[in-house]
Amino acid sequence: MAGQGSGGNVLAALCSFFIPGLGQLLQGRLLMAILQFVLAAVLWFILMGWVIHLWSIIDAARYEPGR
């Protein structure tokens, strides 16, 4: 994936829109993917999972490899 604004990041952000952390997994960032998925799952019980969900989408869209 080339970096911020690339087609790969758009695809990753779209994946994270449906499942938090999936975009990070697509980018090869396993630990971040697990963290965001687990946090979103836990926080949905108190109706705050949307915060992690949005963070996941924005993080996937703004990711720059090697940074």
Side-chain angles (χ1 to χ4, degrees):
M1 304 207 181
Q4 185 175 349
S6 72
N9 280 8
V10 172
L11 179 62
L14 188 59
C15 289
S16 284
F17 175 78
F18 291 106
I19 300 173
L22 186 58
Q24 287 72 18
L25 188 62
L26 182 68
Q27 293 170 331
R29 301 186 298 152
L30 182 61
L31 292 177
M32 183 61 76
I34 292 169
L35 174 72
Q36 290 180 349
F37 182 78
V38 169
L39 279 176
V42 168
L43 289 178
W44 273 116
F45 285 107
I46 58 170
L47 300 177
M48 292 299 292
W50 61 271
V51 174
I52 303 300
H53 210 122
L54 288 176
W55 173 43
S56 177
I57 295 167
I58 293 168
D59 179 60
R62 297 182 50 109
Y63 175 66
E64 294 181 26
R67 202 181 90 181

